[in-house]
Amino acid sequence: MKIPFCRALGAPILLSAALSTLAACASTPPAPAPVAAPAATSHAAIPAAKVTKAPAPGTLLDGVAAVVNDDVILKSELDAQVSDAERQIQARNTPLPALDVLQKQVLDEMVTNRIELQQAANRGITVSDDSVNQALTRVAQRNNVTLDQLPDTLKKQGYEYDRFRRELRDQIVIQNLEQQVLNDDLHITQQELDDQMRADQGSGDSETQYHVAQILVATPFNPTPDDVAAARKKTDTIYQKLKSGTDFAAAAVAYSEGQNALQGGDIGWRKASELPTLFAPIVTQMSPGDYSTPIQSASGFHIVKLIDVKRSEKKVMVTQTHARHILVRTSAILNEQQAKTKIQALYDQLKAGADFAKLATANSDDPGSAKQGGDLGWLDPGAVVPAFQTAMDKLQPGEMSEPFQSQFGWHIVQVLGRRQADQTEDDRRNRAYQAIFARKSEEVIQHWLSELKDSAFIEYHIGQ
């Protein structure tokens, strides 16, 4: 399950969702320690840093939209992103805001992205061409075109392939950077996990999901009373516009300072346990179409809308396989052909009636199972490498495979039995972990970005 921090700004209409999912989201949280082994959290806006310095001498101000530390965002870059954002907003049938308002929204996102890319460069985070190519292939597949057809598909939408590739690479870099931040700063204790599981069980409604959007009026990292009062006044004005009939998505595009503003404030589907703590008791009592009164948080003031609700209950059953195997590895003294010859000889002995357990104990290069006669115990789906899983899945209980190769060497596998196992409890634990991760990752990334922007030199030349 992904926990996306999506930045799909300017993506072509047909590909924006795929780009968000592929490249603009923080990575999957690590599995919780007590449990054996990609949606989305809400975003509060990051207030712009206070300007204290002038741009470097000699900067061509006419072509500069913003200065970000030692870098610049060009007016041409902003114009291109604004055009893409206009197409994206219109594709959702959301009214366009005034051009100066949209420019500000787009430029704010570009500034945040630029700061993150600078931070990634400082940390030495890079993305290989192979990773970008794999991401492009997945984008093409999701849009039912081949990789060769992708440039033409993009061109029809007014989007140059080279730019798409470059921005896709940047978003993967940002994804990797945010994952690194979460790995360093986000910690989940066993007590938190136990408490979440009890809360889920007590509610009896842990599978209900809420489709939520928000409008955020942000306050600075360390707001003064005047900052808070100004944000409250602006939020009240927006709230009155909504009460007068203004479309929520249009208001989000025009006024929200959240990272999802240009998507109409849409922050996706969340379980109640994944919602920010302040939102959860309010959203769970709302009906689809309702929006809240202003809610104050450390980030500013929020107006939350419930778009839809879906409820489901599930019992998690998996087919487990009891298997044993013999492994022959290649080594400095046993080359590939010799390993293949050896496994074939062992297979011939087994076909002639030799005892599998005795041969495994005497010959298998898997030290963990050899002592048990090759017995691997009961295996969940996906617990072994794909080549082994494929060979094992073809067998009925009592059947033995012919020799086959995996990344570890040559195997013979025998299936001893299969059973249905109830893993509902493990699934609950994993879902509880995911919920905590989703909730806390919002806070961690928000705090980290706020500090980055607070310490950065940012000077706007347009829209401020």
Side-chain angles (χ1 to χ4, degrees), residues 265-277:
D266 192 339
I267 58 176
W269 288 94
R270 307 285 185 83
K271 289 181 287 188
S273 56
E274 295 173 345
L275 291 166
T277 305

Side-chain angles (χ1 to χ4, degrees), residues 29-30 36 47 51 71 83 86 88 106 129 151 169 184 194 203 206 218 231 319 336 340 346 354 389 406 409 462:
V51 177
D71 200 359
S83 295
E86 285 177 334
Q88 200 173 28
V106 171
D129 287 341
R169 181 189 295 273
D184 292 341
D194 292 342
S203 70
S206 62
T319 301
E336 185 73 34
K340 185 176 180 181
L346 292 171
Q389 185 79 48
S406 81
I462 291 177

Side-chain angles (χ1 to χ4, degrees), residues 123 125 175-185:
R123 295 188 181 207
I125 296 174
Q175 172 189 348
N176 293 344
L177 170 66
E178 291 186 350
Q179 181 61 58
Q180 193 175 100
V181 172
L182 293 173
N183 288 342
D184 292 341
D185 297 342

Side-chain angles (χ1 to χ4, degrees), residues 307-325:
I307 300 172
D308 202 359
V309 180
K310 57 184 178 184
R311 307 178 187 277
S312 63
E313 294 294 335
K314 63 178 182 179
K315 188 173 185 179
V316 180
M317 302 295 296
V318 300
T319 301
Q320 294 181 324
T321 302
H322 186 195
R324 59 184 179 182
H325 81 136

Side-chain angles (χ1 to χ4, degrees), residues 100-315:
D100 60 335
V101 173
L102 183 59
Q103 279 184 328
K104 179 185 181 300
Q105 295 286 63
V106 171
L107 188 54
D108 283 343
E109 285 206 26
M110 293 178 74
V111 166
T112 299
N113 283 356
R114 195 63 59 93
I115 290 174
E116 290 197 82
L117 290 171
Q118 292 170 358
Q119 181 69 14
N122 291 339
R123 295 188 181 207
I125 296 174
T126 59
V127 173
S128 68
D129 287 341
D130 185 56
S131 295
V132 178
N133 291 337
Q134 290 177 18
L136 286 167
T137 299
R138 292 194 293 271
V139 170
Q141 290 172 345
R142 292 185 183 196
N143 290 276
N144 299 315
V145 297
T146 67
L147 187 58
D148 290 339
Q149 293 170 329
L150 186 58
D152 287 339
T153 302
L154 291 166
K155 189 174 182 179
K156 290 176 182 177
Q157 298 180 40
Y159 208 93
E160 293 300 322
Y161 176 77
D162 288 345
R163 178 178 154 218
F164 184 88
R165 182 186 177 91
R166 182 173 64 253
E167 292 181 358
L168 180 58
R169 181 189 295 273
D170 287 346
Q171 296 303 327
I172 298 173
V173 168
I174 289 172
Q175 172 189 348
N176 293 344
L177 170 66
E178 291 186 350
Q179 181 61 58
Q180 193 175 100
V181 172
L182 293 173
N183 288 342
D184 292 341
D185 297 342
L186 194 156
H187 307 288
I188 297 174
T189 67
Q190 183 63 47
Q191 185 62 51
E192 287 178 301
L193 190 58
D194 292 342
D195 289 346
Q196 183 65 57
M197 290 183 69
R198 280 194 293 271
D200 289 344
Q201 187 173 12
S203 70
D205 200 24
S206 62
E207 285 302 302
T208 298
Q209 294 188 343
Y210 302 87
H211 189 186
V212 181
Q214 74 158 338
I215 295 170
L216 171 69
V217 176
T219 50
F221 182 58
N222 291 305
T224 65
D226 287 344
D227 291 330
V228 174
R232 186 189 301 275
K233 182 178 179 181
K234 181 178 177 182
T235 308
D236 288 341
T237 300
I238 297 169
Y239 181 69
Q240 292 303 320
K241 288 179 180 291
L242 294 173
K243 290 180 67 177
S244 298
T246 298
D247 179 74
F248 191 95
V253 171
Y255 306 115
S256 179
E257 297 169 271
Q259 290 291 340
N260 305 83
L262 295 175
Q263 287 74 51
D266 192 339
I267 58 176
W269 288 94
R270 307 285 185 83
K271 289 181 287 188
S273 56
E274 295 173 345
L275 291 166
T277 305
L278 287 172
F279 293 2
I282 298 171
V283 170
T284 55
Q285 298 303 312
M286 293 166 66
S287 298
D290 291 349
Y291 55 86
S292 71
T293 57
I295 306 165
Q296 186 175 7
S297 75
S299 302
F301 292 87
H302 310 255
I303 302 173
V304 183
K305 179 178 180 179
L306 178 61
I307 300 172
D308 202 359
V309 180
K310 57 184 178 184
R311 307 178 187 277
S312 63
E313 294 294 335
K314 63 178 182 179
K315 188 173 185 179

Side-chain angles (χ1 to χ4, degrees), residues 314-346:
K314 63 178 182 179
K315 188 173 185 179
V316 180
M317 302 295 296
V318 300
T319 301
Q320 294 181 324
T321 302
H322 186 195
R324 59 184 179 182
H325 81 136
I326 298 172
L327 170 66
V328 176
R329 296 180 185 271
T330 57
S331 66
I333 59 173
L334 196 69
N335 62 31
E336 185 73 34
Q337 184 57 48
Q338 290 170 327
K340 185 176 180 181
T341 300
K342 180 177 178 180
I343 198 73
Q344 184 64 47
L346 292 171

Side-chain angles (χ1 to χ4, degrees), residues 431-447:
R431 285 189 282 108
Y433 186 88
Q434 297 280 353
I436 299 169
F437 187 96
R439 191 168 62 241
K440 295 183 73 171
S441 59
E442 160 70 18
E443 300 167 3
V444 169
I445 293 296
Q446 180 67 33
H447 181 77

